[in-house]
Amino acid sequence: MSVTVSTPVLHPAPAAPEEPRDAVPYELIELFFFAYRDFVGDPDRILADYGFGRAHHRVLHFVERRPGLTIAELLDILQITKQSLNRVLKELVETGFVESRTGTQDKRQRNLYATQAGRELAVRLAQLQGRRINGALAQVGPEAGEIVARYLAGLIDPSERRKVQDALAGPR
């Protein structure tokens, strides 16, 4: 069973009243850690065969989803240093998963594109993660996708929500 999640509209969460220290949702915090561990663990095993890590996965994911993405846009999405991105991007370009092209409007600009091999790997990783997400959603019912999307959107820093919503609009 496949569940389709629509792009959520990200609204600022209402201000929560101050909670006492003992109201920390430790169980949810720990479930989030374990869920993240397994969510990225499936792709990690495949990426290890290429000598890649999670940073490679994130770069490849967004480059595949947004063909022509600029380095500046990718830096803004990932919020990593230029030095970190350059190292990962260099490896992805040298191994034939990403190509960098000179911008058509601005020759100083570099636009990033996934190669055929890059697209295939990115889709393979997304399908793994999609199966895990769809399996979890199937356990909680058809209305869960929208609830989970709103919940995850609520975890995003309010100053970043608009940018994330724009990125969720899908490929350009």
Side-chain angles (χ1 to χ4, degrees):
M1 174 177 162
S2 178
V3 177
T4 302
V5 177
S6 62
T7 301
V9 176
L10 307 180
H11 299 288
E18 287 295 317
E19 295 182 338
R21 183 161 166 70
D22 60 350
V24 173
Y26 284 109
E27 185 175 307
L28 288 177
I29 291 169
E30 291 171 7
L31 282 170
F32 195 85
F33 284 141
F34 289 120
Y36 178 75
R37 175 199 65 193
D38 294 343
F39 178 73
V40 298
D42 295 332
D44 283 352
R45 286 183 281 284
I46 292 169
L47 291 162
D49 292 340
Y50 297 92
F52 294 159
R54 291 180 186 164
H56 296 85
H57 183 190
R58 288 189 297 270
V59 168
L60 188 57
H61 174 85
F62 285 105
V63 168
E64 192 276 329
R65 292 280 297 151
R66 301 185 63 155
L69 188 70
T70 66
I71 290 174
E73 290 168 330
L74 188 54
L75 283 168
D76 192 43
I77 289 169
L78 299 176
Q79 295 189 349
I80 60 175
T81 66
K82 194 171 188 176
Q83 182 180 10
S84 295
L85 177 60
N86 284 340
R87 178 189 61 80
V88 169
L89 197 52
K90 180 178 185 228
E91 292 171 354
L92 288 168
V93 168
E94 287 176 351
T95 54
F97 289 94
V98 171
E99 66 178 331
S100 175
R101 300 179 196 160
T102 303
T104 55
Q105 307 282 327
D106 182 347
K107 300 296 181 198
R108 297 169 296 175
Q109 199 170 55
R110 305 300 295 167
N111 297 98
L112 304 172
Y113 297 87
T115 63
Q116 182 65 34
R119 284 189 299 278
E120 289 171 4
L121 179 57
V123 168
R124 181 178 175 202
L125 300 174
Q127 286 172 335
L128 270 177
Q129 291 179 316
R131 279 194 294 275
R132 184 173 290 277
I133 287 171
N134 287 333
L137 289 173
Q139 292 179 32
V140 292
E143 71 288 347
E146 187 58 38
I147 293 167
V148 171
R150 285 196 318 268
Y151 171 75
L152 291 173
L155 292 175
I156 297 168
D157 190 279
S159 66
E160 292 290 310
R161 285 189 184 130
R162 170 55 67 191
K163 191 177 1 174
V164 171
Q165 183 174 352
D166 292 344
L168 290 176
R172 308 195 237 188

